[in-house]
Amino acid sequence: MLSRRAMTGCFLGALFSLASRRASTNESIKHPGLFDSMLLRNLRLPNRIIMAPMTRGRAGVQRTANPLMAEYYSQRATAGLIVTEGTAISAPGYGWVGSPAIYTDAHVAGWKGVTDAVHKQGGRIFLQLWHTGRVSHPDFQDGETPIAPSAIAAAGKTHSPSGVKSYVTPRAMTRRDIADAVREYSRAAERAWKAGFDGVEIHAANGYLIDQFIRDGSNQRTDEYGGRVRNRLRFLIEVTEAVAQVVPVDRIGVRLSPDNPYNDMRDGNPAETFTQASKALTGFGLAYLHVVESVQIAPHMRAVFDGPFILNGGYGAETGAAALRAGEAEMIAYGRHFLANPDLVERFRRGAALNQPDTSTFYTGEPKGYTDYPPLT
Ligand SMILES: Cc1cc2nc3c(=O)[nH]c(=O)nc-3n(C[C@H](O)[C@H](O)[C@H](O)COP(=O)(O)O)c2cc1C
């Protein structure tokens, strides 16, 4: 049986083959770059230490953000910016047990509790807009088949509400489905804005719906949404345009993962695909481009992108500061370090020891391993 731990291990294993090349052996060296404030377009960030989006499975069967989540995020409000866990834009987009959503008024009210709590602590928070596409499961969809660009199943298994199941072959989206999904992104973004978020991040990474359009291993369409790179990017661009109709464009970030194989993803020419993606996203005036690190491809993406750049994946205090110093990015996002250290910014500042993340409680749905990581005393 595939455990959550194994799934996380798979994701991180994939990432580590990239990140280990820059792994730090000394977390205690301090560099001021990470602590410099900056203007993210018109939003002042007190530092460049970003909390990476992380699914934590604490939203319950109602898929609604709750006071426990408000506590978790507000504990981490000293981040330059928090990006929330992936949040389902619609019922067809839902695909992870216990993950939150933002497609009903109740979801908005739940998230308002989170944004209020974070703002009260002086923080800033973007919502990550998520559609899982082919890696959802009929068990999440009242028995309906999940949708995706092409009818190609991901190899592997998922935790559905009724246990561990193999991924199914998705139904290839019609043009009508595509138009509906684009509309769902903009409705969700509008709701996020109403819930008091400072902005939104379009999740176009890690093998979910938008990434399934971008990479040719999961997109074999023969219409204007498939084939050459420009066509495979069309869905991403349509989503970005639609979201920009309802949220100020300088409050929209996009996350990409050029060569993360998680969720059985592949592409024939990732350097070309993702440099083009980065180019296609220039000119909007986006808040940022957030790249789950590929040491080979990210520099090319940065070279053609016209806005702030976030790098993520295996960074420590020293390696993050070095990347900023080398001009590789304006900000560094931290996932597991932030999960385990609510006061990560202060720990980096002081060169203090870090709590280690407990993988067994990543998705358990409980306060243990969520809001009880000890702060510095
Ligand atoms: C528990 C957990 C949940 C995650 N959930 C998400 C998610 O919802 N959205 C996303 O884009 N990435 C997600 N990721 C990936 C992280 O954002 C990040 O890319 C990864 O942890 C590598 O960064 P790190 O080395 O600083 O931890 C998740 C990672 C972990 C460990």
Short mmCIF file of all heavy atoms in Angstrom, two decimals, residues 8 11-12 15 52-56 85-86 128 203 206 255 292 312-315 333-336 339 362-363, ligand 1:
data_model
loop_
_atom_site.label_atom_id
_atom_site.label_comp_id
_atom_site.label_asym_id
_atom_site.label_seq_id
_atom_site.Cartn_x
_atom_site.Cartn_y
_atom_site.Cartn_z
N THR A 8 4.90 11.60 -0.64
CA THR A 8 5.72 12.78 -0.42
C THR A 8 7.16 12.48 -0.78
O THR A 8 7.83 13.27 -1.41
CB THR A 8 5.64 13.21 1.06
OG1 THR A 8 4.28 13.35 1.39
CG2 THR A 8 6.36 14.50 1.29
N PHE A 11 7.71 12.78 -4.43
CA PHE A 11 7.83 14.17 -4.88
C PHE A 11 9.19 14.73 -4.50
O PHE A 11 9.90 15.30 -5.31
CB PHE A 11 6.73 15.02 -4.22
CG PHE A 11 6.84 16.47 -4.57
CD1 PHE A 11 6.20 16.97 -5.68
CD2 PHE A 11 7.62 17.33 -3.80
CE1 PHE A 11 6.32 18.30 -6.02
CE2 PHE A 11 7.74 18.67 -4.13
CZ PHE A 11 7.09 19.15 -5.25
N LEU A 12 9.55 14.52 -3.24
CA LEU A 12 10.79 15.12 -2.77
C LEU A 12 12.00 14.42 -3.36
O LEU A 12 12.99 15.06 -3.66
CB LEU A 12 10.83 15.10 -1.24
CG LEU A 12 9.72 15.95 -0.62
CD1 LEU A 12 9.68 15.76 0.88
CD2 LEU A 12 9.90 17.41 -0.96
N LEU A 15 12.65 15.91 -6.56
CA LEU A 15 13.20 17.25 -6.41
C LEU A 15 14.64 17.21 -5.94
O LEU A 15 15.48 18.00 -6.37
CB LEU A 15 12.34 17.98 -5.38
CG LEU A 15 12.31 19.48 -5.47
CD1 LEU A 15 11.70 19.90 -6.80
CD2 LEU A 15 11.46 20.00 -4.34
N ALA A 52 6.43 28.48 0.88
CA ALA A 52 5.97 27.74 -0.31
C ALA A 52 4.60 27.12 -0.04
O ALA A 52 4.27 26.79 1.11
CB ALA A 52 6.98 26.66 -0.66
N PRO A 53 3.80 26.95 -1.10
CA PRO A 53 2.49 26.32 -0.93
C PRO A 53 2.63 24.87 -0.46
O PRO A 53 3.42 24.12 -1.03
CB PRO A 53 1.88 26.38 -2.33
CG PRO A 53 3.05 26.50 -3.26
CD PRO A 53 4.09 27.26 -2.49
N MET A 54 1.87 24.49 0.56
CA MET A 54 1.93 23.11 1.06
C MET A 54 0.57 22.59 1.49
O MET A 54 -0.03 23.12 2.43
CB MET A 54 2.91 23.00 2.22
CG MET A 54 4.36 22.96 1.77
SD MET A 54 5.51 22.91 3.15
CE MET A 54 5.29 24.54 3.83
N THR A 55 0.13 21.55 0.80
CA THR A 55 -1.10 20.83 1.15
C THR A 55 -0.92 20.19 2.52
O THR A 55 0.09 19.53 2.77
CB THR A 55 -1.35 19.75 0.08
OG1 THR A 55 -1.64 20.43 -1.15
CG2 THR A 55 -2.50 18.85 0.44
N ARG A 56 -1.89 20.39 3.41
CA ARG A 56 -1.76 19.83 4.76
C ARG A 56 -2.98 19.02 5.20
O ARG A 56 -3.01 18.48 6.30
CB ARG A 56 -1.47 20.95 5.79
CG ARG A 56 -0.23 21.79 5.51
CD ARG A 56 1.07 20.98 5.41
NE ARG A 56 1.23 20.00 6.47
CZ ARG A 56 1.71 20.26 7.69
NH1 ARG A 56 2.10 21.48 7.99
NH2 ARG A 56 1.83 19.31 8.59
N GLU A 85 -1.61 26.48 0.70
CA GLU A 85 -1.73 25.17 0.08
C GLU A 85 -2.63 25.26 -1.16
O GLU A 85 -3.47 26.16 -1.25
CB GLU A 85 -2.37 24.23 1.10
CG GLU A 85 -3.76 24.66 1.54
CD GLU A 85 -4.07 24.20 2.97
OE1 GLU A 85 -4.42 23.02 3.17
OE2 GLU A 85 -3.94 25.05 3.88
N GLY A 86 -2.46 24.30 -2.08
CA GLY A 86 -3.33 24.22 -3.24
C GLY A 86 -4.79 24.18 -2.81
O GLY A 86 -5.14 23.43 -1.88
N GLN A 128 -3.30 29.74 -3.43
CA GLN A 128 -2.89 28.97 -4.61
C GLN A 128 -4.11 28.30 -5.26
O GLN A 128 -4.82 27.51 -4.64
CB GLN A 128 -1.85 27.90 -4.25
CG GLN A 128 -1.22 27.33 -5.53
CD GLN A 128 -0.25 26.19 -5.30
OE1 GLN A 128 -0.52 25.27 -4.54
NE2 GLN A 128 0.89 26.24 -5.98
N HIS A 203 -1.54 27.73 -9.92
CA HIS A 203 -0.72 26.51 -9.77
C HIS A 203 -0.61 25.84 -11.14
O HIS A 203 -1.53 25.15 -11.57
CB HIS A 203 -1.39 25.59 -8.76
CG HIS A 203 -0.55 24.43 -8.30
ND1 HIS A 203 0.67 24.11 -8.87
CD2 HIS A 203 -0.76 23.51 -7.32
CE1 HIS A 203 1.16 23.04 -8.25
NE2 HIS A 203 0.32 22.66 -7.32
N ASN A 206 3.88 20.82 -11.04
CA ASN A 206 3.76 19.54 -10.33
C ASN A 206 2.72 18.56 -10.88
O ASN A 206 2.18 17.73 -10.14
CB ASN A 206 3.49 19.78 -8.83
CG ASN A 206 4.61 20.58 -8.18
OD1 ASN A 206 5.67 20.76 -8.79
ND2 ASN A 206 4.39 21.06 -6.98
N ARG A 255 3.11 29.58 -10.79
CA ARG A 255 4.12 28.59 -10.37
C ARG A 255 4.30 27.53 -11.46
O ARG A 255 3.32 26.94 -11.93
CB ARG A 255 3.69 27.91 -9.08
CG ARG A 255 4.79 27.03 -8.49
CD ARG A 255 4.44 26.53 -7.11
NE ARG A 255 5.62 26.59 -6.24
CZ ARG A 255 5.96 25.65 -5.37
NH1 ARG A 255 5.22 24.59 -5.20
NH2 ARG A 255 7.04 25.78 -4.64
N VAL A 292 9.78 25.95 -9.28
CA VAL A 292 10.28 24.82 -8.50
C VAL A 292 11.53 24.37 -9.24
O VAL A 292 11.47 24.00 -10.40
CB VAL A 292 9.23 23.68 -8.40
CG1 VAL A 292 9.76 22.55 -7.54
CG2 VAL A 292 7.92 24.21 -7.85
N ASN A 312 12.57 27.89 -5.66
CA ASN A 312 12.21 26.98 -4.57
C ASN A 312 12.77 25.60 -4.85
O ASN A 312 12.87 25.18 -6.00
CB ASN A 312 10.68 26.89 -4.45
CG ASN A 312 10.23 25.69 -3.62
OD1 ASN A 312 9.73 24.71 -4.16
ND2 ASN A 312 10.44 25.75 -2.32
N GLY A 313 13.09 24.91 -3.75
CA GLY A 313 13.47 23.50 -3.88
C GLY A 313 14.79 23.19 -3.23
O GLY A 313 15.84 23.38 -3.84
N GLY A 314 14.76 22.74 -1.97
CA GLY A 314 15.96 22.27 -1.31
C GLY A 314 16.86 23.36 -0.76
O GLY A 314 18.02 23.08 -0.44
N TYR A 315 16.37 24.56 -0.63
CA TYR A 315 17.22 25.66 -0.14
C TYR A 315 17.32 25.68 1.37
O TYR A 315 16.36 25.32 2.08
CB TYR A 315 16.68 27.02 -0.61
CG TYR A 315 16.98 27.29 -2.07
CD1 TYR A 315 16.07 26.95 -3.04
CD2 TYR A 315 18.18 27.86 -2.45
CE1 TYR A 315 16.34 27.18 -4.39
CE2 TYR A 315 18.47 28.10 -3.79
CZ TYR A 315 17.55 27.76 -4.75
OH TYR A 315 17.83 27.98 -6.06
N ALA A 333 11.64 30.61 -1.89
CA ALA A 333 10.53 29.98 -1.16
C ALA A 333 11.03 28.74 -0.42
O ALA A 333 11.84 27.98 -0.94
CB ALA A 333 9.41 29.61 -2.11
N TYR A 334 10.52 28.59 0.79
CA TYR A 334 10.88 27.46 1.63
C TYR A 334 9.62 26.66 1.96
O TYR A 334 8.63 27.24 2.44
CB TYR A 334 11.53 27.95 2.93
CG TYR A 334 12.87 28.63 2.69
CD1 TYR A 334 12.94 29.99 2.46
CD2 TYR A 334 14.05 27.89 2.65
CE1 TYR A 334 14.17 30.63 2.22
CE2 TYR A 334 15.28 28.49 2.41
CZ TYR A 334 15.33 29.86 2.19
OH TYR A 334 16.54 30.46 1.95
N GLY A 335 9.68 25.37 1.72
CA GLY A 335 8.54 24.50 2.02
C GLY A 335 8.71 23.86 3.39
O GLY A 335 8.22 24.37 4.41
N ARG A 336 9.42 22.73 3.41
CA ARG A 336 9.50 21.95 4.65
C ARG A 336 10.08 22.73 5.82
O ARG A 336 9.67 22.53 6.97
CB ARG A 336 10.29 20.67 4.40
CG ARG A 336 9.47 19.66 3.58
CD ARG A 336 10.34 18.72 2.84
NE ARG A 336 11.19 19.43 1.90
CZ ARG A 336 12.34 18.98 1.45
NH1 ARG A 336 12.80 17.84 1.88
NH2 ARG A 336 13.04 19.69 0.58
N LEU A 339 7.23 24.60 7.19
CA LEU A 339 6.28 23.68 7.81
C LEU A 339 6.68 23.42 9.26
O LEU A 339 5.85 23.46 10.18
CB LEU A 339 6.25 22.39 6.98
CG LEU A 339 5.28 21.28 7.32
CD1 LEU A 339 5.01 20.44 6.07
CD2 LEU A 339 5.77 20.38 8.43
N PHE A 362 2.31 15.03 7.95
CA PHE A 362 2.11 16.03 6.89
C PHE A 362 0.62 16.22 6.58
O PHE A 362 0.17 17.33 6.36
CB PHE A 362 2.85 15.62 5.61
CG PHE A 362 4.30 16.06 5.56
CD1 PHE A 362 4.91 16.71 6.62
CD2 PHE A 362 5.06 15.82 4.41
CE1 PHE A 362 6.24 17.11 6.57
CE2 PHE A 362 6.39 16.23 4.35
CZ PHE A 362 6.98 16.86 5.42
N TYR A 363 -0.13 15.10 6.49
CA TYR A 363 -1.51 15.19 5.96
C TYR A 363 -2.55 14.59 6.89
O TYR A 363 -3.63 14.22 6.44
CB TYR A 363 -1.58 14.45 4.62
CG TYR A 363 -0.52 14.84 3.62
CD1 TYR A 363 0.55 13.99 3.32
CD2 TYR A 363 -0.57 16.07 2.97
CE1 TYR A 363 1.52 14.34 2.40
CE2 TYR A 363 0.39 16.44 2.05
CZ TYR A 363 1.44 15.57 1.77
OH TYR A 363 2.40 15.93 0.86
C1 LIG B 1 3.67 18.50 2.70
C2 LIG B 1 3.89 19.16 1.36
C3 LIG B 1 2.80 19.60 0.64
C4 LIG B 1 2.98 20.26 -0.59
N1 LIG B 1 1.89 20.79 -1.24
C5 LIG B 1 2.07 21.58 -2.33
C6 LIG B 1 0.99 22.31 -2.89
O1 LIG B 1 -0.17 22.28 -2.42
N2 LIG B 1 1.24 23.09 -3.98
C7 LIG B 1 2.49 23.18 -4.54
O2 LIG B 1 2.67 23.90 -5.52
N3 LIG B 1 3.55 22.51 -3.99
C8 LIG B 1 3.37 21.76 -2.90
N4 LIG B 1 4.46 21.15 -2.29
C9 LIG B 1 5.81 21.41 -2.80
C10 LIG B 1 6.46 22.57 -2.01
O3 LIG B 1 5.81 23.80 -2.30
C11 LIG B 1 7.94 22.72 -2.39
O4 LIG B 1 8.03 22.88 -3.79
C12 LIG B 1 8.77 21.52 -1.94
O5 LIG B 1 8.52 21.17 -0.59
C13 LIG B 1 10.27 21.81 -2.10
O6 LIG B 1 10.65 22.91 -1.31
P1 LIG B 1 11.52 22.70 0.04
O7 LIG B 1 12.74 21.94 -0.37
O8 LIG B 1 11.82 24.08 0.53
O9 LIG B 1 10.66 21.90 0.98
C14 LIG B 1 4.29 20.45 -1.10
C15 LIG B 1 5.38 19.95 -0.38
C16 LIG B 1 5.20 19.33 0.84
C17 LIG B 1 6.40 18.86 1.62
#
